[in-house]
Amino acid sequence: MMRFCRLALMLCSALVVWNPVPASAAGPRPNIVLIMADDVGCETLGCYGGQSYKTPHIDRLATTGLKFTHCYAMPVCHPTRTCLLSGRYPRHQGNPKWGSYPRIDESYTLAHALRSAGYRTAIAGKWQLALLSKDLRQPHRMGFDDYCVFGWHEGPRYHQPLVFQNSRVRTDAVTQYGPTVYTRYLADFMAANTDKPFFAFFSMALCHDVTDDLESPVPYATGKDHYDTYAEMMAQMDVHVGHITTAIRKLGLEKNTLVLFTTDNGTAKRSLHQAENGKYIRRPVSSRIGGKLVPGGKGNLSDDGTHVPLLASWPGRIKPGTTTDQLVDMSDFLPTLRELAGGHQPPRGATRIDGHSFAGLLDGSRRLKDPRRWAYAERGVKRFFVRTQNWKLYNNGRLFHVAVDVNEKSPVTRAPASAAADIKLLSHAMATIDDGHAFPK
């Protein structure tokens, strides 16, 4: 094991073996609340300079905690979620088909890692890894003791929602607003588990637009002639984040609860507005930052699709109002939360994860054992990049100085000498990214 670790460090690889990790030396294990919003880029949030929407509850996580300026996700939702739960890049899971998760990997997830440490685990909101009406046990198999999620592509998620809870349909949910169902469920879950550490994953429906592939269009809100606008969904997102953080405070758990807020990709380019005569009408989404309107970039491998917010609040442990430029990508959540929880994963042959723990930035120690030196995102196995804070290299060889060319208008053909270390690092990462993995073949 030590020989492998030394070799991995020499190669600057982003590979970590599944192995037991001791609990953080900083003190008792925290409750963990992970909030992942849907289709929300950095430019939408006040704490990142956004000017179009008011987000006071989310901004409070920044003022009471730590703001990351270099967190990266996949440019669309499903691969981000498989990466977060597995700690592995989608390419290293064989690029699972949309709306699926490899059965062989179901026992090796973030939720299982925390359950192994004695945590009670729950998820509410978006699932997207199976049609639940055909596989009601999947969330349990993947380590969640409890779940309350909407039927992805099976019914509405907002108004008159189709909600599955612990292997049954919640018939009472159809008269309620979906996000309220999910937040109340998690509030009740936290209240029922104040005597033991818990992991609550709020996988938000907001701010994704409504499902558009059912036999009949999903309903508008009562009294409306259109679906909720992006601005209306942003307002509801912030309100429901506030419901969660308020529940934590009312339970007296704030000082022993780590709250993380992130998103699955950039802001949507368009949002579904109306359904008329069997046709869907969509409107473009743009948000103001720095006095300029910025269109949504979901689906793009540029920053507007992959650069996402990450906030961490843990009063008494994380210094309020701080910022870090440490690189993070979606594979890092599993090893980070596992380390904080003192959990472990059973060994499974040669399977490795891609994540690096950033627990040292959260537990008060400010020490990272193996800091991430480059981040990764992909749009299918044939289109991907690796990047540092300043430079970005695509697998087609295109290089960008993203610190000054965030929109990637000018590929660099002759880099300055000051970029030599970054370019060497990224070239090596690109050449070795699949070493030790069964996929891609």
Side-chain angles (χ1 to χ4, degrees):
M1 177 63 71
M2 290 302 296
R3 181 180 179 184
F4 169 78
C5 291
R6 287 194 296 269
L7 178 61
L9 287 171
M10 290 173 61
L11 293 176
C12 300
S13 170
L15 300 177
V16 182
V17 296
W18 291 105
N19 67 318
V21 179
S24 168
R29 300 178 301 164
N31 302 310
I32 299 168
V33 176
L34 172 59
I35 304 172
M36 174 172 275
D38 201 323
D39 289 3
V40 176
C42 290
E43 79 282 1
T44 65
L45 302 181
C47 56
Y48 281 88
Q51 298 167 317
S52 290
Y53 322 102
K54 295 186 183 302
T55 54
H57 297 291
I58 295 171
D59 295 347
R60 184 179 182 274
L61 296 175
T63 57
T64 62
L66 176 64
K67 180 173 73 174
F68 289 75
T69 58
H70 284 282
C71 180
Y72 297 92
M74 306 302 153
V76 288
C77 49
H78 177 257
T80 288
R81 293 162 197 277
T82 63
C83 184
L84 181 140
L85 288 171
S86 69
R88 298 163 67 195
Y89 299 141
R91 65 188 295 114
H92 296 152
Q93 284 193 296
N95 285 95
K97 180 173 70 172
W98 203 265
S100 72
Y101 194 87
R103 188 70 177 257
I104 193 173
D105 293 331
E106 287 183 345
S107 296
Y108 304 90
T109 64
L110 170 59
H112 274 297
L114 297 181
R115 280 189 71 192
S116 75
Y119 277 60
R120 185 79 180 178
T121 59
I123 182 171
K126 187 172 184 174
W127 183 243
Q128 199 186 11
L129 303 178
L131 295 176
L132 279 175
S133 60
K134 298 180 180 180
D135 191 359
L136 289 166
R137 297 292 302 172
Q138 190 194 40
H140 292 318
R141 291 198 309 272
M142 290 179 61
F144 289 99
D145 295 305
D146 300 288
Y147 73 83
C148 177
V149 297
F150 63 83
W152 174 74
H153 292 295
E154 296 171 276
R157 66 189 71 185
Y158 294 121
H159 304 289
Q160 301 177 32
L162 173 62
V163 176
F164 294 93
Q165 181 172 314
N166 295 335
S167 299
R168 65 177 181 85
V169 174
R170 268 193 61 170
T171 55
D172 66 315
V174 73
T175 61
Q176 303 178 59
Y177 178 52
T180 300
V181 174
Y182 318 136
T183 52
R184 286 176 177 169
Y185 182 82
L186 287 180
D188 290 344
F189 168 80
M190 293 188 292
N193 289 280
T194 56
D195 60 339
K196 62 177 74 68
F198 59 75
F199 170 55
F201 182 14
F202 188 14
S203 179
M204 300 187 80
L206 296 158
C207 297
H208 196 293
D209 57 8
V210 300
T211 302
D212 65 354
D213 59 358
L214 304 176
E215 277 190 29
S216 300
V218 299
Y220 302 141
T222 302
K224 279 190 172 183
D225 65 353
H226 61 83
Y227 297 114
D228 296 347
T229 65
Y230 190 81
E232 289 171 326
M233 290 191 289
M234 281 291 299
Q236 285 296 322
M237 176 191 68
D238 189 71
V239 165
H240 283 80
V241 169
H243 288 336
I244 294 294
T245 55
T246 297
I248 293 168
R249 288 195 294 275
K250 286 184 175 179
L251 291 168
L253 298 176
E254 191 174 28
K255 290 189 176 180
N256 193 38
T257 300
L258 167 66
V259 178
L260 295 162
F261 175 90
T262 190
T263 72
D264 62 354
N265 47 247
T267 304
K269 295 176 181 177
R270 297 184 302 160
S271 189
L272 205 156
H273 184 69
Q274 285 177 312
E276 290 184 353
N277 303 318
K279 294 184 179 180
Y280 288 103
I281 300 169
R282 289 176 167 82
R283 289 185 173 179
V285 177
S286 293
S287 306
R288 189 171 296 278
I289 185 170
K292 297 179 180 179
L293 277 178
V294 177
K298 177 181 178 179
N300 298 341
L301 279 171
S302 45
D303 268 20
D304 54 0
T306 59
H307 181 214
V308 296
L310 173 58
L311 305 170
S313 179
W314 186 2
R317 294 297 180 86
I318 296 175
K319 185 178 178 180
T322 49
T323 301
T324 178
D325 67 352
Q326 172 60 44
L327 288 162
V328 173
D329 72 29
M330 287 295 136
S331 68
D332 296 335
F333 286 85
L334 189 153
T336 297
L337 301 186
R338 184 183 62 185
E339 181 177 345
L340 290 171
H344 68 278
Q345 282 286 58
R348 181 178 160 240
T351 298
R352 299 172 185 172
I353 65 169
D354 295 292
H356 291 241
S357 172
F358 58 92
L361 297 179
L362 308 176
D363 66 8
S365 70
R366 304 294 294 179
R367 294 188 301 273
L368 296 181
K369 300 174 183 176
D370 182 22
R372 171 172 292 284
R373 300 180 65 199
W374 51 266
Y376 170 89
E378 66 177 59
R379 184 74 195 265
V381 72
K382 294 182 179 180
R383 296 175 59 204
F384 58 93
F385 68 74
V386 290
R387 65 165 294 159
T388 63
Q389 291 87 342
N390 297 315
W391 291 89
K392 185 173 185 179
L393 178 65
Y394 284 89
N395 62 307
N396 63 5
R398 285 162 67 89
L399 176 70
F400 293 92
H401 189 193
V402 285
V404 298
D405 182 21
V406 68
N407 293 319
E408 302 176 18
K409 300 295 185 183
S410 304
V412 174
T413 54
R414 296 186 64 181
S418 60
D422 277 24
I423 294 171
K424 181 179 179 181
L425 172 70
L426 295 178
S427 298
H428 183 76
M430 191 67 72
T432 60
I433 193 168
D434 296 324
D435 287 1
H437 290 281
F439 296 102
K441 295 180 179 179

